[in-house]
Amino acid sequence: MKAIIIGAGRIGRGFVASLLKHNQVELTFFDVNPSVVEQLNEYKKYTVHVLGNPEKDTVIDNYQAYLLSDKERLVTELVESAFVFTSVGGKNLASVGEKISEAYHELYQQNQLPKNVFITCENWLTPAEELREAILNGLSEEEQNKFDDGNDVSQAVIRASGTSAPSDFDLKNQMDTWVQDYWEIPVDQARITVNQLPDWQYFKFDPQFGKMLYQKIYTNNTSVALIAYLGSLKGYTLLSDAANDPEIVELLDQGYDEINRALIAQLQVSEESQLEFSRIAKEKYQSRTIIDDVDRIARDPIRKLSPTDRLIGPAKMALDSGFEPRALAKAIAAALYYDNKEDQLSVKLQEMRAAKGDIKTLEELSGLKENDPLLKLVLAAIEELKEKEWIKQVNEDE
């Protein structure tokens, strides 16, 4: 069996590729970065290193790699492949869908009807809907019907981390990547109604997938954002160091309690399932074997302060559930003050804050109006963090 992986980053060529390789699936990569494609083809193989368990390392070889702009090749591979995985970042799904749509249009003009299962592997709340919509937007009504008759668009939850090489590693192959020792990909089975499910190890096709993406993002992504933004205020560079700081741990535990209560109430997930999500997430971020940077997690704070993203979304859920998310409010406050001169969006955020003030900035980015109870909690959290001197005086003088 053959599969396409669109997006040859740490998760695509690392976590997803290694699990497919263990299932004897032949791989073809597509990426928008010419350097990545060139290096994949130049090295011809690379190693997915498992953090803390080198005996589980996987060598990825016998693959092909192409630019996503190579429509002719994409057309060929869609015909020959049964599965297509994306790992491109949610905001890039529309452009990926456009390329796939162009390829399908070409195939339908040739009277070819490929049957594929698309599985998004994104930290995004509605990736399957967005990818399918982007594909269908470029097709005629007749082509849309043909696409739906032969293809499924589903989604997966990625709970594993991918990281760069440890600082003391003698890196000879730039395509080598490092992943967490975690071996499961839950997939939304209910969205696969046309094609047959494969009998693969590690892929859990779950008919009760439901709100799992919300659960994952509002647990994992929310809690790691709390760690990163508070850790940045305290001067940490490594995520695991921040996640083990006693003061941050206290807020992290409060944050998990707020997240758990909110998601159990609002998503109607089971308490057992939610507590398990939180337990696994905390273990992951506190693990010293996973080397990740605070700034990598904290980058793009403007998007992460948007109304439905990982900070504002669950905080609003908590208020709707009848309690005040004080730990999440501190994470929002820390994100608002995230100051990294190497991150253009952080620079833009600090310029906005300096020009408009905290209240107007939060209103514009997060949709928090003047009398919003969450805004009041965030403003109180800012004052508390200033009193603790986590938010330094230099920020007040901007």
Side-chain angles (χ1 to χ4, degrees):
M1 183 179 290
K2 294 185 67 174
I4 294 169
I5 298 177
I6 301 178
R10 293 171 179 171
I11 294 299
R13 78 170 187 271
F15 181 60
V16 176
S18 64
L19 298 196
L20 289 171
K21 183 71 173 180
H22 280 279
N23 284 288
Q24 291 77 53
V25 177
E26 186 179 339
L27 302 176
T28 300
F29 295 100
F30 284 89
D31 201 275
V32 297
N33 188 330
S35 176
V36 169
V37 173
E38 288 171 10
Q39 289 183 85
L40 281 169
N41 288 323
E42 176 186 344
Y43 287 114
K44 301 189 185 316
K45 66 179 180 179
Y46 64 91
T47 301
V48 180
H49 301 265
V50 178
L51 293 161
N53 280 293
E55 67 276 7
K56 295 183 179 180
D57 291 357
T58 303
V59 174
I60 309 295
D61 55 10
N62 299 317
Y63 57 78
Q64 302 175 79
Y66 304 97
L67 285 170
L68 186 58
S69 58
D70 188 343
K71 184 171 73 172
E72 182 179 348
R73 197 67 234 180
L74 182 58
V75 164
T76 299
E77 294 301 325
L78 285 170
V79 172
E80 295 180 358
S81 301
F83 283 78
V84 182
F85 294 84
T86 75
S87 181
V88 297
K91 62 185 179 181
N92 298 311
L93 284 170
S95 59
V96 168
E98 183 179 346
K99 294 296 185 185
I100 294 169
S101 183
E102 291 172 0
Y104 268 89
H105 176 71
E106 179 96 0
L107 285 164
Y108 293 145
Q109 294 299 306
Q110 299 171 9
N111 202 30
Q112 295 192 70
L113 303 175
K115 297 172 72 68
N116 299 116
V117 178
F118 293 83
I119 299 177
T120 60
C121 302
E122 315 290 350
N123 278 321
W124 209 249
L125 292 176
T126 56
E129 290 96 329
E130 293 183 34
L131 179 62
R132 179 177 177 274
E133 181 181 358
I135 295 171
L136 295 181
N137 278 345
L139 301 177
S140 68
E141 183 176 352
E142 181 182 357
E143 290 170 340
Q144 290 175 0
N145 291 333
K146 288 179 180 178
F147 180 86
D148 283 338
D149 286 344
N151 299 276
D152 300 290
V153 183
S154 189
Q155 55 198 4
V157 167
I158 303 299
R159 297 167 74 173
S161 286
T163 70
S164 54
S167 57
D168 59 348
F169 188 84
D170 183 16
L171 185 63
K172 294 182 172 62
N173 186 331
Q174 297 297 320
M175 291 295 97
D176 280 11
T177 189
W178 279 254
V179 298
Q180 181 185 0
D181 188 8
Y182 187 83
W183 297 83
E184 182 178 276
I185 297 183
V187 179
D188 191 346
Q189 180 178 327
R191 292 178 182 271
I192 303 175
T193 59
V194 176
N195 294 286
Q196 187 174 353
L197 297 175
D199 183 20
W200 287 344
Q201 285 184 296
Y202 312 122
F203 288 78
K204 180 183 178 183
F205 291 91
D206 188 349
Q208 305 299 321
F209 189 90
K211 296 288 187 179
M212 196 181 295
L213 272 170
Y214 280 82
Q215 194 176 6
K216 185 269 177 182
I217 289 173
Y218 285 170
T219 304
N220 291 57
N221 296 48
T222 299
S223 60
V224 77
L226 181 152
I227 295 166
Y229 289 123
L230 291 171
S232 177
L233 289 182
K234 295 199 74 176
Y236 286 106
T237 57
L238 287 181
L239 188 71
S240 59
D241 289 342
N244 285 284
D245 175 279
E247 291 181 297
I248 293 178
V249 169
E250 183 178 354
L251 289 172
L252 180 62
D253 287 339
Q254 292 174 21
Y256 279 128
D257 180 64
E258 293 168 4
I259 291 165
N260 293 342
R261 292 168 64 190
L263 298 194
I264 290 168
Q266 297 299 315
L267 296 183
Q268 301 295 302
V269 297
S270 71
E271 180 177 1
E272 179 183 6
S273 166
Q274 182 54 38
L275 292 177
E276 179 74 357
F277 256 92
S278 292
R279 181 189 66 78
I280 292 173
K282 184 179 179 182
E283 287 180 358
K284 170 181 174 179
Y285 301 130
Q286 289 188 322
S287 172
R288 300 287 188 181
T289 65
I290 301 176
I291 309 301
D292 212 345
D293 294 330
V294 163
D295 285 334
R296 189 187 78 82
I297 300 297
R299 67 190 177 192
D300 195 359
I302 290 177
R303 174 170 61 88
K304 292 167 186 174
L305 284 167
S306 62
T308 60
D309 211 279
R310 65 208 69 195
L311 295 172
I312 305 298
K316 284 285 195 180
M317 281 185 172
L319 287 167
D320 290 342
S321 301
F323 66 92
E324 294 183 336
R326 295 182 179 274
L328 295 183
K330 290 185 177 67
I332 295 167
L336 184 65
Y337 276 74
Y338 176 61
D339 190 3
N340 177 3
K341 299 297 188 292
E342 296 181 1
D343 180 350
Q344 291 183 351
L345 292 171
S346 170
V347 171
K348 181 179 178 181
L349 173 60
Q350 295 315 311
E351 289 173 349
M352 287 179 64
R353 206 174 55 73
K356 302 179 181 181
D358 295 344
I359 294 175
K360 289 295 184 183
T361 300
L362 283 168
E363 180 178 352
E364 184 172 332
L365 297 182
S366 308
L368 302 182
K369 304 300 182 183
E370 188 172 349
N371 294 321
D372 194 307
L374 181 55
L375 177 61
K376 294 178 181 179
L377 286 173
V378 174
L379 295 177
I382 290 171
E383 292 307 312
E384 185 176 339
L385 292 173
K386 287 179 178 177
E387 289 175 10
K388 292 165 70 78
E389 296 187 346
W390 290 21
I391 294 177
K392 302 294 191 279
Q393 186 70 30
V394 64
N395 284 325
E396 295 180 82
D397 294 338
E398 290 180 341

